[in-house]
Amino acid sequence: MASKAGGTTSKVFVWIILILLIAGLAGFGIGGLGGTIRTIGSVGDTEITVEEYQRGLQQDVQRQSQRFGTPLTFQQALQIGVDQQTRARLVAVAALNEETRILGLSVGDAEVARQLQTVPQFMGPDGQFDRDGYEFALSQNGLTPSEFEEQLRRDAARELLQQAVAGGLAPADTYSETIYNYLAEMRSFRWAKLEDTLLVTPNGSPTPEALQSFYTDNPSLFETPELRKLSYAWLTPEMVLPTIEVDEAILRELYDERRETYVQPERRLVERLAFPTAEAAQTARDDIEKGTISFEDLVAERDLSLDDISLGDVSRDDLSSDAAEAVFALSEPGLAGPVDTSLGPVLYRINAVLNASETSFEDARADLLSETTLDRARRIIVDQIDPVDDLLAGGATLEDLGQETEMEFATLDYVAGSDADIAAYEEVRNEIDRITVGDFPEVRELGDGSIFAIRLDEIVAPTVPPLDDIRAEVETAWQEQETTRRLRELGLSLAEQMRSGTPMEALGLEPRSAIDLTRRGFVEDAPEGILPVAFGLETAGVDIAESDSGLVLVELLDIAAPDLTTEEAQSFLRQIRAQSAQSLAADVFELYGQDAQLRHGLSLNQAAINAVHQSIHN
């Protein structure tokens, strides 16, 4: 049976094939395996060729490499199951191809030709289909035109099958409306904190038996974290700087080159607004001083912004003599002028007075020294890497490095998340997480030019200290839990009274209101669980919300259902219906494909699969 796929669908398939074949294969060679191996398996009479599996596998490896942000070796790809994903996809496609073959679904040569002639990559400079360029692109990827066109034909046939099986499926309107109602429903409620000041009497002291029981039942509260005992040697530019001698004349020359940075004259932050006449400028200044208009309003009347009239920070030398005299006569922010300038009469607004400043050579020397020696220190450290590596390879310990090289030796008790000492570097923390006891220390570089080598000496597993060692800590935790228990009991009692008609205020509480909040709203200073509790209540219902930050009593005041007739609601409903229909169709078609695979039968040739893996690995 011959059918013609729609234009939009056909273009989609062409682009998919092009992306997979041209972009997806960049960087890989498609080499034949030789011999008589042609397929890795089949579904019914539809074969999965070696070339299809090889191309698909290489494409999926590259896709995963892009996802991880680093090239994956083929062995790494196998370890994360990329080959299984590739085979599953090809088997699914083969099952559907077998189904279309049995049903006789196909598209004609004219439709295949039309699709090819719409692909920009296959067009020549004149905008017409370029047969030579088309064949060259395919040959670069190990395909012949007949193979590629047959693949297009099969893809279009599967699209026809999908339309027949899952086309037109859509969930009922109640599905999208229920989702929108859930997300857009608004609730208003009152809430009040349950604080320990509400408790009439303080907690008692726990008995020894109660404390022991609490300690035994809550070991996770007192467990010490895993501790990693580390030894390391490192060398930083700051350690090397004191050993570097710099000619004082070089520092003074650099200071002189940057004198404008270290010696700053008196400056002003200034804006300048020109006027057509001196009278207009004076009138504007008078109006500003009387408060009938602002400087900003005058600027806006000219269709200008403050950025347009800003001169930034200026010194006397940056202004004409008359302007400098007027501007620098002010010792605080204000207006200066009118002043005659090359632009005409001008008003200046001084926004800040910057006093003259001077940093002497002696004061700047430390910064100049650090700047001039830092690069030299880093180069010195780089030159140490190979000798240190040689020492480690020859059996030297990190302790030896601290004695025989410029590196400093130290130890560190490290807990996950700590940033003390050398663990302040993310690269070091990553290395600590990676190494195991017995690993050979290796020299590593840090982003600031430092180097280090680290050794994991011991891992101290998490432990619960004896009760006698942490008795005060355990009692404090018991008191906190006891307070929470008593507040919870009090809250339940208060809630019951409110259900009987007693208002919050009469119970000694200080209620706060939250009006028209959705489930995605935010209630400042309230526990995180307050919204789920509020949205679980019926009108006038009362309950307790509890989290690590405390307990609150919640009273629901009103439920406001969303208006489904608004444009916002209708737009949301249309999107949900479209997404749901696509998802439903995809699920139905996937189930259909799985059924087709079962009906037609699957066979795989493991020897052929292994041969493909070996060819790629080599």
Side-chain angles (χ1 to χ4, degrees):
M1 177 178 71
S3 302
K4 182 175 180 179
T8 301
T9 298
S10 300
K11 289 181 180 179
V12 170
F13 278 114
V14 171
W15 284 106
I16 290 174
I17 295 301
L18 284 174
I19 291 171
L20 291 176
L21 291 179
I22 298 174
L25 292 177
F28 290 100
I30 305 298
L33 297 179
T36 58
I37 300 177
R38 292 194 318 103
T39 69
I40 66 157
S42 64
V43 178
D45 291 336
T46 298
E47 297 177 334
I48 304 171
T49 68
V50 163
E51 289 78 7
E52 288 174 335
Y53 182 53
Q54 190 175 38
R55 278 194 298 267
L57 194 51
Q58 291 170 333
Q59 292 161 9
D60 288 343
V61 170
Q62 186 179 55
R63 190 176 298 113
Q64 289 297 327
S65 295
Q66 292 171 346
R67 176 187 170 194
F68 285 106
T70 184
L72 294 179
T73 66
F74 186 64
Q75 193 59 39
Q76 290 172 327
L78 292 181
Q79 290 173 354
I80 63 174
V82 172
D83 59 319
Q84 299 173 24
Q85 299 170 15
T86 303
R87 289 196 298 275
R89 175 167 51 81
L90 292 177
V91 166
V93 170
L96 294 172
N97 286 341
E98 177 69 2
E99 188 80 349
T100 60
R101 184 189 68 80
I102 292 173
L103 294 174
L105 290 175
S106 182
V107 296
D109 293 341
E111 175 61 19
V112 172
R114 188 192 66 79
Q115 291 183 19
L116 291 176
Q117 293 172 4
T118 62
V119 180
Q121 281 76 3
F122 293 159
M123 293 180 182
D126 59 355
Q128 301 298 314
F129 179 72
D130 182 356
R131 184 74 187 184
D132 291 338
Y134 163 63
E135 293 180 354
F136 177 76
L138 294 183
S139 67
Q140 290 296 101
N141 292 286
L143 284 174
T144 65
S146 61
E147 290 172 334
F148 181 66
E149 290 160 16
E150 180 57 30
Q151 192 164 349
L152 281 181
R153 199 185 308 275
R154 290 197 301 266
D155 292 339
R158 287 200 307 276
E159 171 66 12
L160 291 174
L161 180 62
Q162 181 172 2
Q163 289 296 323
V165 171
L169 290 176
D173 289 345
T174 52
Y175 176 81
S176 54
E177 291 173 0
T178 300
I179 293 177
Y180 185 74
N181 282 329
Y182 180 85
L183 295 175
E185 177 186 274
M186 292 186 296
R187 296 200 170 198
S188 300
F189 55 90
R190 298 202 307 167
W191 62 280
K193 286 188 174 182
L194 298 176
E195 299 179 306
D196 54 7
T197 54
L198 294 171
L199 299 175
V200 178
T201 60
N203 297 338
S205 297
T207 64
E209 294 76 16
L211 199 64
Q212 179 65 54
S213 177
F214 179 73
Y215 167 81
T216 303
D217 294 341
N218 298 278
S220 61
L221 294 179
F222 314 110
E223 185 177 73
T224 61
E226 178 183 271
L227 180 69
R228 293 187 163 223
K229 290 184 171 292
L230 303 156
S231 297
Y232 65 92
W234 69 329
L235 185 62
T236 70
E238 288 73 22
M239 296 177 189
V240 177
L241 288 179
T243 67
I244 299 176
E245 295 183 3
V246 178
D247 189 337
E248 198 76 5
I250 294 176
L251 296 180
R252 288 192 173 276
E253 182 180 347
L254 183 59
Y255 176 82
D256 290 338
E257 289 176 0
R258 299 183 179 178
R259 179 170 291 276
E260 291 184 358
T261 301
Y262 295 114
V263 180
Q264 292 281 343
E266 185 179 11
R267 289 162 296 140
R268 301 286 189 270
L269 287 177
V270 177
E271 294 165 339
R272 177 182 62 190
L273 186 61
F275 292 85
T277 65
E279 291 76 12
Q282 186 61 53
T283 299
R285 174 168 183 164
D286 294 341
D287 290 341
I288 292 173
E289 291 176 341
K290 288 186 293 185
T292 57
I293 195 170
S294 68
F295 188 82
E296 288 81 3
D297 291 337
L298 287 172
V299 174
E301 287 179 357
R302 313 288 185 83
D303 291 328
L304 298 172
S305 69
L306 293 180
D307 287 340
D308 295 330
I309 64 169
S310 175
L311 298 181
D313 62 332
V314 297
S315 66
R316 286 181 176 272
D317 294 340
D318 296 323
L319 301 172
S320 67
S321 58
D322 291 342
E325 187 67 27
V327 168
F328 281 85
L330 296 181
S331 59
E332 59 184 22
L335 290 175
V339 178
D340 286 330
T341 70
S342 59
L343 297 177
V346 165
L347 283 182
Y348 291 97
R349 182 167 73 166
I350 293 85
N351 295 310
V353 174
L354 306 176
N355 296 324
S357 65
E358 180 174 353
T359 303
S360 66
F361 170 77
E362 288 71 20
D363 291 337
R365 186 180 182 282
D367 289 339
L368 294 171
L369 180 64
S370 175
E371 180 180 342
T372 55
T373 57
L374 193 58
D375 284 341
R376 289 176 59 184
R378 288 171 176 159
R379 290 195 295 272
I380 290 172
I381 291 174
V382 169
D383 291 340
Q384 297 291 315
I385 294 176
D386 287 342
V388 171
D389 265 335
D390 291 341
L391 285 172
L392 290 173
T397 65
L398 298 181
E399 291 83 351
D400 294 334
L401 295 184
Q403 296 178 357
E404 300 176 19
T405 73
E406 295 183 53
M407 300 181 78
E408 292 185 1
F409 173 80
T411 60
L412 175 66
D413 289 344
Y414 175 79
V415 174
S418 171
D419 59 358
D421 301 322
I422 194 173
Y425 293 89
E426 182 179 2
E427 300 100 314
V428 174
R429 295 195 298 272
N430 292 337
E431 182 73 1
I432 292 173
D433 291 338
R434 185 192 67 81
I435 59 177
T436 60
V437 175
D439 283 353
F440 180 80
E442 299 179 31
V443 177
R444 304 289 188 190
E445 296 184 62
L446 296 171
D448 65 353
S450 305
I451 60 173
F452 74 99
I454 198 163
R455 181 183 71 223
L456 178 59
D457 297 321
E458 181 185 0
I459 296 178
V460 180
T463 59
V464 178
L467 174 58
D468 288 342
D469 292 350
I470 56 171
R471 186 172 295 275
E473 179 184 344
V474 175
E475 183 164 350
T476 298
W478 182 92
Q479 290 286 354
E480 292 174 354
Q481 189 178 82
E482 179 67 5
T483 298
T484 299
R485 183 191 65 79
R486 294 180 64 200
L487 284 175
R488 189 182 302 110
E489 289 182 352
L490 176 63
L492 293 173
S493 173
L494 296 177
E496 191 58 39
Q497 295 179 59
M498 290 178 62
R499 294 186 189 102
S500 299
T502 306
M504 275 190 183
E505 293 83 352
L507 297 173
L509 301 174
E510 298 180 3
R512 308 184 200 183
S513 296
I515 306 300
D516 290 341
L517 292 181
T518 66
R519 296 174 193 271
R520 293 172 291 179
F522 173 73
V523 184
E524 186 177 359
D525 202 28
E528 295 178 359
I530 192 170
L531 284 174
V533 169
F535 276 85
L537 292 171
E538 300 295 335
T539 303
V542 183
D543 202 353
I544 296 175
E546 181 176 354
S547 73
D548 292 340
S549 60
L551 293 86
V552 297
L553 202 59
V554 183
E555 178 186 24
L556 183 63
L557 302 176
D558 182 57
I559 300 175
D563 183 358
L564 297 180
T565 65
T566 65
E567 178 54 36
E568 178 186 6
Q570 288 299 310
S571 175
F572 181 90
L573 292 172
R574 286 192 294 270
Q575 292 180 35
I576 289 294
R577 290 179 187 124
Q579 293 171 5
S580 301
Q582 292 174 2
S583 178
L584 181 60
D587 289 344
V588 169
F589 195 56
E590 181 179 357
L591 291 172
Y592 181 85
Q594 292 173 0
D595 177 70
Q597 179 180 324
L598 292 173
R599 285 187 283 107
H600 302 311
L602 167 67
S603 64
L604 291 175
N605 184 340
Q606 190 60 49
I609 293 171
N610 293 341
V612 172
H613 293 180
Q614 188 63 33
S615 71
I616 296 176
H617 184 68
N618 291 339

